Amino acid sequence: MIDAVGHPSSLLLLGGTSEIGLAIAERYLADGPVRVVLAGRQSPRLADAAARLQRAGGHVETVEFDAKDAAVHTEAVRKAFAGGDIDVAVVAFGLLGDQEKAWQDIDVAVELAEVNYVATVSVGVALAAEFRRQGHGHVVALSSVAGERARRSNFVYGSTKAGMDAFYTGLTEALRGEGIGVTIVRPGFVKTKMTAGMDSAPLATTPEEVARITVDAVTKRRELVWAPAQFRYVMSVLRHIPRPIFRRLPV
């Protein structure tokens, strides 16, 4: 159970090598022991992630999980819960990809849609079932500001995040009243390996800062947060700008 000061006993990270996800785990571990279940494909990266959290004081387990194989999602989530209750589950996997290829190559576009939307919906359904069975818990969905309004530069990625975001917004309402919380986190440009080599963007942030915002939001049971918070106002303006003007902006 999450204690009175917001510290969970257990954490499931779907996307076990996610830099933001690992930063969230470390944020919790800084305040005390946590059983951490890393769900991901068996690989040296997953082993490194497990070792990193063990050094931070975590009791780490791993579960085989492939976002591209929806047939294994339910079983992977069940295995994660089989070792004991899960207090917080973070849906942290996703692809960015080559955005110019994404709107011209069917395989690239479909892969983005399957990982960023189909897989996140699939695990969301599985998590809801397990959390309803145990009667408590909290889901964190790592969305993106890119889902708020499609831009020419990354509209395929943005469309997948828009779909994911809408699903978890609906899940928030569906689980309301059952003791299960949902927090949607909308980061902007985060400096990670995924964005290495790309030009930085205004309000760029770090995995550690996104983790700080996320942990605070879960503690306060907030349903939607932006990372950084200023994006709430920036995107509110951008959402209402007429298209002829919007396409001229350097966004």
Side-chain angles (χ1 to χ4, degrees), residues 53-84:
L53 295 186
Q54 286 168 344
R55 289 194 295 272
H59 305 285
V60 184
E61 305 166 18
T62 61
V63 170
E64 181 71 20
F65 171 76
D66 184 349
K68 297 180 183 179
D69 186 359
V72 306
H73 292 174
T74 298
E75 185 59 24
V77 171
R78 284 177 179 168
K79 285 183 178 178
F81 280 73

Side-chain angles (χ1 to χ4, degrees), residues 119-139:
T120 56
V121 169
S122 176
V123 300
V125 172
L127 287 172
E130 291 298 324
F131 277 136
R132 293 180 73 193
R133 178 189 57 75
Q134 73 177 23
H136 68 92
H138 203 105
V139 180

Side-chain angles (χ1 to χ4, degrees), residues 92-171:
F93 57 85
L95 295 175
L96 181 57
D98 184 322
Q99 293 301 298
E100 284 306 298
K101 283 186 178 179
W103 71 270
Q104 301 176 80
D105 186 310
I106 291 175
D107 291 339
V108 175
V110 168
E111 182 182 39
L112 280 176
E114 287 184 341
V115 172
N116 292 355
Y117 178 63
V118 175
T120 56
V121 169
S122 176
V123 300
V125 172
L127 287 172
E130 291 298 324
F131 277 136
R132 293 180 73 193
R133 178 189 57 75
Q134 73 177 23
H136 68 92
H138 203 105
V139 180
V140 174
L142 295 182
S143 179
S144 170
V145 299
E148 184 69 6
R149 182 166 185 177
R151 293 180 292 143
R152 166 63 182 83
S153 59
N154 67 350
F155 65 91
V156 179
Y157 174 79
S159 71
T160 65
K161 286 297 186 180
M164 175 214 189
D165 199 291
F167 172 81
Y168 282 91
T169 298
L171 194 65

Side-chain angles (χ1 to χ4, degrees), residues 31-43:
D31 292 330
V34 180
R35 168 180 163 252
V36 182
V37 182
L38 296 180
R41 287 177 295 182
Q42 295 300 327
S43 67

